[in-house]
Amino acid sequence: MSEKNPFPNENNSGHIWDNDLRELLNDPPTWWRIGFHASWILVIVYTILYPSWPMLTTHYKGVMGWTAMGEYKEDLQSLEQIRAKYEDQLPGKSAAAIMADDELSNYVMKSAKVLFGDNCAACHGGGGAGNPSYPILADDDWLYGGTANEIITSITNGRKGVMTAHSKSLSTAEIDELANAVMKGEPTSSPLFMTKACFACHGPDGKGISAMGSANLTDGIYRFAEEDQLASIKYTITHGVNDASDPATRNAEMPTFGGSKLSETDIKKLAIYVHKLGGGK
Ligand code: HEC
Ligand code: HEC
């Protein structure tokens, strides 16, 4: 630092390094000062308008009365107004009437997708793609029938198909014969189908009876689809389905959603969704 200021006519602080490197005392630029003042004014105005300062047991609420919760509730209300246009029509309309209305069924598909994800996808898979031992809902093969009303009944009352175990009434050779006939899609080609009373539940043509949920055995679509399909068929014939007398029986129970679990309108929505997913009848 030099003794005498070599730049006396300049607004410097007198701090000079290396003979000419010096500190000036200029005012900050105007644009910067405007920005600085605008920002603290904004902070004060903001803290007056909106909830801000914490206090001992509460907080300053702001003169606008704004709350995050209030804003959320307003948004929700306007959303419900949009929904109400459709929701109000649903209880009075049959599933068939809703499906005939493009705008209404579009709304139902979107709304039911969420319901399906929450209540059904854990068993039936996303989009009704099925899971081992839970039936596929996205195809046109139905155990209990694929009309909207049959689907509504499935969801409302639940389903529990019963097939008796045959481990005691059939020999291994007989089970083999029947399983191979089913595998070929021609269950009736084995005389055992009649003599061992399979027809009583699966129908004389082997195509199933929807009132019982007995699977169609002629279409090559398997309710209990497994990698080794022949072994899976043998297992079903041997141990049956939901037969309490056989501890190894297959369990297949569709829970009841009627009553307090889901409203009638939600069930109607889901039935339309499932109907449209696959080949509703
Ligand atoms: C706990 C598992 C589970 C849940 C959750 C579940 N299901 Fe099911 N569902 C089943 C089983 C198992 C069957 C087959 C019942 C049988 O074989 O007797 C079935 C059958 C059905 C059927 C009849 C299919 C046919 O081919 O006739 C429909 C329709 C159906 N479910 C729809 C739904 C809908 C919609 C939901 C959601 C509200 C749902 N399920 C939730 C297990 C479940
Ligand atoms: C008491 C009625 C009943 C009798 C008797 C019966 N079944 Fe079944 N069977 C059913 C029902 C119901 C189902 C479907 C169960 C379900 O999905 O919940 C079924 C399912 C099956 C399946 C599984 C099909 C699939 O898609 O995976 C096979 C295979 C089968 N039965 C073969 C037979 C044969 C062979 C006989 C004769 C030995 C027979 N059943 C006798 C009611 C019966």
Side-chain angles (χ1 to χ4, degrees), residues 28-143:
T30 315
W31 66 261
W32 186 90
R33 278 198 287 179
I34 292 172
F36 171 73
H37 292 298
S39 46
W40 69 256
I41 291 167
L42 193 73
V43 167
I44 294 195
V45 171
Y46 188 92
T47 58
I48 292 171
L49 293 180
Y50 287 98
S52 46
W53 303 108
M55 296 191 279
L56 219 49
T57 56
T58 172
H59 61 275
Y60 171 67
K61 303 266 190 314
V63 298
M64 302 258 291
W66 181 93
T67 63
M69 203 58 198
E71 183 167 294
Y72 163 76
K73 281 182 181 156
E74 262 173 44
D75 284 356
L76 198 65
Q77 214 175 13
S78 52
L79 196 66
E80 264 159 17
Q81 268 164 7
I82 299 171
R83 282 186 191 149
K85 182 180 152 207
Y86 302 109
E87 290 287 340
D88 291 351
Q89 299 181 49
L90 298 180
K93 285 203 160 140
S94 70
I98 295 168
M99 284 190 283
D101 181 329
D102 279 349
E103 200 186 346
L104 209 51
S105 46
N106 255 341
Y107 167 78
V108 164
M109 287 303 278
K110 283 182 193 140
S111 161
K113 192 175 181 200
V114 179
L115 282 170
F116 192 87
D118 288 351
N119 296 287
C120 323
C123 289
H124 290 288
N131 266 326
S133 81
Y134 298 107
I136 297 172
L137 300 179
D139 65 10
D140 62 356
D141 186 54
W142 302 93
L143 290 165

Side-chain angles (χ1 to χ4, degrees), residues 155-194:
I155 304 171
T156 308
N157 302 333
R159 297 289 194 183
K160 191 175 181 179
V162 174
M163 166 159 162
T164 34
H166 291 86
S167 47
K168 299 197 181 79
S169 55
L170 294 177
S171 68
T172 317
E174 287 171 326
I175 291 174
D176 278 359
E177 179 181 325
L178 278 164
N180 279 299
V182 170
M183 197 68 186
K184 277 191 293 180
E186 294 165 5
T188 52
S189 68
S190 160
L192 295 168
F193 192 78
M194 292 308 269

Side-chain angles (χ1 to χ4, degrees), residues 217-266:
L217 302 179
T218 67
D219 59 4
I221 299 173
Y222 293 101
R223 157 75 183 81
F224 300 103
E226 279 163 33
E227 221 161 286
D228 186 344
Q229 194 54 50
L230 186 62
S232 167
I233 294 170
K234 284 183 196 169
Y235 192 97
T236 308
I237 300 174
T238 309
H239 299 290
V241 181
N242 295 322
D243 181 342
S245 71
D246 186 333
T249 195
R250 289 190 183 278
N251 297 307
E253 185 170 359
M254 161 74 190
T256 306
F257 284 91
S260 56
K261 274 213 207 159
L262 288 177
S263 71
E264 262 178 52
T265 302
D266 281 350

